[in-house]
Amino acid sequence: MDKITTIVGKEWSEVFKNKLVLFSVLFLPLILAVIPLVMLFVFRQAGADAALSAELNDPEIAALAGEMCVGLSAGDCTLVYTLNLFVLMFMILPVAIPVTIAAYSIVGEKTTRSLEPLLATPITTVELLTAKIVAAIVPAILATWLAFAIFLVGARLLAPPAVFSAFFAIHWLLAVLVVAPLLTLLAACVAVIVSSRVSDPRVAEQLSSVVILPLILLVVGQAVGLILIDRQIMVLLAVVVLVLDVGLVYLAVRLFQRETILTRWK
Amino acid sequence: MIQTENLTKSFGDHLAVDRLTLDIGEGEVFGFLGPNGAGKTTTIRMLTSLIAPTAGRARVAGYEVGRDDDQIRRHVGILTETPGMYDRLSARRNLSIFARLYEVERVDAQVEKYLKLLGLWERRDDAVGEFSKGMRQKLAIARALLHEPRVLFLDEPTAALDPEASRLVHDFVTELKGQGRTIFLCTHNLDEADRLCDRVAVFKTHLRVVDTPGKLRRQVYGRQVVFHLCGAAEAFLPVVSGLPFVSAIEADAGKLILTLDDPESHNPDLVRALVAAGADIQFVGELRYSLEDVYLQLMKDGVDA
């Protein structure tokens, strides 16, 4: 355990001195938390403006929102629809952050040639990978939860009570508290696997970012009314991601071959 | 302390190390010499349990490679060819990370000891990225010693160092030898190997020769004595050619170079014979070939152990 915490501490000390990583961990979540709140504020102000108010009361959006908006005006429905779209971003966020951290932490060992002395210590592959993955996922989960808390408090303060009640559902808590960490683990494992096979952090990051695509499809599906994310879908998603996580953790350990990495990394 | 028996490593079709058999004793400084790509680093990686042998066996510090890898990692220290460091972290932090990974009991004290010993204490809180190559190398040596290993593998320890820092490392290696540690030294610096090593091996995929530097010299060149004479040395060839203990003769201007089995016994007879023949002897001495000469000759001859 001490070895894992040592490596985690080392990763954080090193990785957070990288401005790009720092930006993705600190600013990205803040931006994602603040943008919907600004939009909420603007929409509420726009209520007084007749022209904008007409746009907000778009019946097409009300139609897309479907069950989300039962008993709400078209204007309030637009706000619920917007909040629902943005809350999905809190599932993309925990995927984006660990990819950046893991890509830099593993490929960084290659570029600085520090992996060989590290592997020469009595650290096991499982300990090393656990440390790398924990170092990548913990900041991502904390940043996501913090950003979501800001978003939630802001939404509670800025949105009309009826809108907040219609928006705030248990499946969003499930999404952020359960599915998001599972997605974070999935992204970190993919990044570890990809990073073990490429030698440029940017390539590792870009390849690992493919994990985001299915989530974007989910956002688009919800946006165009193809699916309406509810508790059942979220539970199903959690189970699927959990199964994928187990498989990917196993694969990451299996594919992290010390010998291959030492003899083929250039 | 290190025993290998037909240790072999292949990467696909490429044979990197071929049936290497060695026996290195406790407290010995063993030089492992060979050209680039000879398989020296691969050998070190096998002996430090970083990679697995394809065939053969090896024991390091009493532990079997492939079976007791964790124990081997605990009991050996390694200075890698390129001593990668965490550049954004301080020297002290770099060492304390490794001390914890090696489960050193008194981390701070041990880190302080080696930072001081290698002259890096004043720069302990500076980021390693700001260090010169020599300072990085010294830090890497400290890292290899933190857990007080019984066996130390040094891959080109003075490659990037200036003469002063090299001297420091040489003195340090001598001190480590004095503490009874076994040192496996890969180096291209043959003068360094000559000075530090009890025995050296010349290796290129397979073992060419292994012996003490002195015996290798004798094996390749024999023992040669040079006589500096006034006038042409050729005139005295008939005098020495008849002597039974002279196995080879070479005359070069004023120098007469003779190969003898036992110069200490035969030099007085030689001096007497030459003086009696009218030679004016200016100087007599044993010709000393450098290990570099020996190494180059061995590589050229392709001698096998």
Side-chain angles (χ1 to χ4, degrees):
Chain A
M1 194 63 186
D2 188 40
K3 287 178 195 152
I4 294 173
T5 54
T6 299
I7 296 290
V8 170
K10 187 277 286 182
E11 292 296 325
W12 288 346
S13 305
E14 250 215 327
V15 159
F16 290 127
K17 284 181 181 164
N18 183 318
K19 285 179 185 144
L20 182 68
V21 177
L22 200 62
F23 173 81
S24 72
V25 176
L26 286 182
F27 293 102
L28 207 61
L30 279 178
I31 289 167
L32 276 179
V34 168
I35 287 177
L37 298 179
V38 170
M39 285 179 71
L40 208 58
F41 179 75
V42 171
F43 286 174
R44 288 206 67 184
Q45 296 298 313
D49 183 306
L52 274 173
S53 180
E55 281 186 31
L56 286 177
N57 283 294
D58 188 344
E60 279 185 27
I61 288 182
L64 279 177
E67 290 172 30
M68 277 186 230
C69 294
V70 177
L72 292 177
S73 70
D76 282 350
C77 183
T78 303
L79 295 180
V80 172
Y81 175 78
T82 307
L83 288 172
N84 270 300
L85 271 188
F86 270 97
V87 79
L88 281 169
M89 294 298 170
F90 292 100
M91 288 167 72
I92 292 179
L93 193 61
V95 175
I97 296 173
V99 162
T100 311
I101 298 176
Y104 275 85
S105 89
I106 298 219
V107 183
E109 298 273 10
K110 289 185 193 182
T111 52
T112 58
R113 306 265 178 169
S114 52
L115 194 74
E116 188 167 357
L118 184 61
L119 293 179
T121 68
I123 191 167
T124 63
T125 301
V126 170
E127 284 172 329
L128 181 62
L129 289 185
T130 303
K132 293 278 181 190
I133 289 171
V134 167
I137 67 173
V138 169
I141 293 169
L142 292 180
T144 303
W145 285 353
L146 181 68
F148 183 68
I150 294 170
F151 168 77
L152 216 54
V153 170
R156 179 72 189 84
L157 294 174
L158 292 171
V163 168
F164 187 79
S165 300
F167 148 72
F168 188 68
I170 192 77
H171 63 266
W172 291 131
L173 282 180
L174 189 67
V176 175
L177 297 178
V178 178
V179 180
L182 291 173
L183 283 169
T184 312
L185 178 59
L186 182 136
C189 288
V190 170
V192 164
I193 292 168
V194 172
S195 300
S196 304
R197 273 152 179 74
V198 298
S199 52
D200 186 328
R202 287 162 297 183
V203 176
E205 199 179 344
Q206 283 161 9
L207 287 175
S208 309
S209 299
V210 172
V211 180
I212 294 175
L213 286 179
L215 292 169
I216 289 176
L217 288 178
L218 204 65
V219 174
V220 173
Q222 166 113 338
V224 299
L226 276 176
I227 50 167
L228 182 65
I229 294 173
D230 57 13
R231 197 181 306 179
Q232 272 182 321
I233 289 180
M234 205 49 78
V235 169
L236 182 68
L237 189 61
V239 172
V240 169
V241 178
L242 181 66
V243 171
L244 284 174
D245 280 349
V246 172
L248 282 170
V249 167
Y250 175 76
L251 206 61
V253 174
R254 288 285 301 217
L255 292 176
F256 193 88
Q257 295 293 327
R258 289 167 178 244
E259 179 164 338
T260 309
I261 287 166
L262 279 178
T263 52
R264 294 197 190 154
W265 279 12
K266 299 293 178 198
Chain B
M1 191 53 76
I2 302 173
Q3 290 96 28
T4 69
E5 194 184 321
N6 292 320
L7 193 68
T8 301
K9 182 69 189 178
S10 305
F11 297 105
D13 294 336
H14 172 66
L15 184 63
V17 176
D18 183 23
R19 290 167 292 154
L20 175 65
T21 299
L22 288 174
D23 189 353
I24 302 168
E26 189 165 4
E28 186 175 355
V29 179
F30 188 84
F32 203 53
L33 316 177
N36 289 332
K40 303 188 298 293
T41 299
T42 300
T43 303
I44 286 191
R45 283 175 172 171
M46 283 192 284
L47 296 177
T48 51
S49 287
L50 280 165
I51 62 175
T54 310
R57 299 177 62 188
R59 282 180 76 78
V60 179
Y63 299 103
E64 187 89 19
V65 168
R67 192 190 66 194
D68 311 316
D69 290 342
D70 184 64
Q71 284 302 321
I72 288 175
R73 291 187 191 119
R74 285 172 200 277
H75 289 93
V76 306
I78 178 171
L79 171 72
T80 53
E81 196 175 0
T82 315
M85 292 284 166
Y86 302 122
D87 286 354
R88 292 190 173 101
L89 307 184
S90 70
R92 180 152 54 178
R93 187 78 204 279
N94 263 277
L95 292 192
S96 67
I97 287 166
F98 278 85
R100 286 192 170 86
L101 294 178
Y102 277 113
E103 299 170 12
V104 168
E105 281 184 14
R106 296 170 63 235
V107 170
D108 292 340
Q110 197 70 352
V111 167
E112 184 178 336
K113 171 185 164 185
Y114 279 105
L115 282 174
K116 283 182 173 168
L117 218 55
L118 284 151
L120 294 169
W121 182 245
E122 299 301 317
R123 301 286 303 272
R124 61 191 178 277
D125 292 323
D126 291 352
V128 172
E130 296 167 12
F131 280 19
S132 67
K133 276 185 181 176
M135 289 167 72
R136 291 171 70 87
Q137 191 78 345
K138 284 196 269 184
L139 191 63
I141 292 171
R143 181 175 64 188
L145 288 164
L146 281 168
H147 55 301
E148 307 291 359
R150 291 160 65 196
V151 184
L152 194 59
F153 291 88
L154 304 176
D155 201 352
E156 300 292 345
T158 56
L161 304 187
D162 58 37
E164 199 182 343
S166 294
R167 170 60 72 88
L168 185 92
V169 172
H170 292 164
D171 292 346
F172 202 58
V173 170
T174 308
E175 194 182 318
L176 293 171
K177 176 181 156 60
Q179 294 167 3
R181 301 193 210 221
T182 305
I183 298 168
F184 189 95
L185 175 70
C186 273
T187 181
H188 286 300
N189 184 337
L190 299 172
D191 180 51
E192 175 177 277
D194 204 1
R195 250 189 294 166
L196 296 175
C197 298
D198 300 308
R199 285 191 302 154
V200 293
V202 177
F203 180 78
K204 189 179 175 187
T205 307
H206 55 271
L207 192 62
R208 296 290 175 92
V209 288
V210 55
D211 218 322
T212 64
K215 282 185 183 167
L216 283 182
R217 272 190 202 94
R218 261 168 266 157
Q219 186 184 321
V220 175
Y221 292 105
R223 292 189 72 184
Q224 295 183 315
V225 176
V226 60
F227 288 80
H228 288 250
L229 308 174
C230 290
E234 284 83 356
F236 299 97
L237 284 175
V239 177
V240 291
S241 59
L243 298 171
F245 48 80
V246 177
S247 52
I249 308 167
E250 207 179 308
D252 177 19
K255 282 191 286 186
L256 198 58
I257 300 164
L258 308 173
T259 304
L260 310 173
D261 287 338
D262 185 6
E264 287 79 7
S265 305
H266 300 124
N267 274 349
D269 294 337
L270 265 172
V271 171
R272 268 192 294 276
L274 285 167
V275 170
D280 289 332
I281 300 172
Q282 293 174 317
F283 169 84
V284 183
E286 183 165 359
L287 259 188
R288 189 174 161 82
Y289 289 92
S290 68
L291 188 59
E292 185 176 273
D293 296 324
V294 175
Y295 170 82
L296 292 173
Q297 191 63 44
L298 286 168
M299 294 310 290
K300 198 171 114 188
D301 295 346
V303 174
D304 281 345

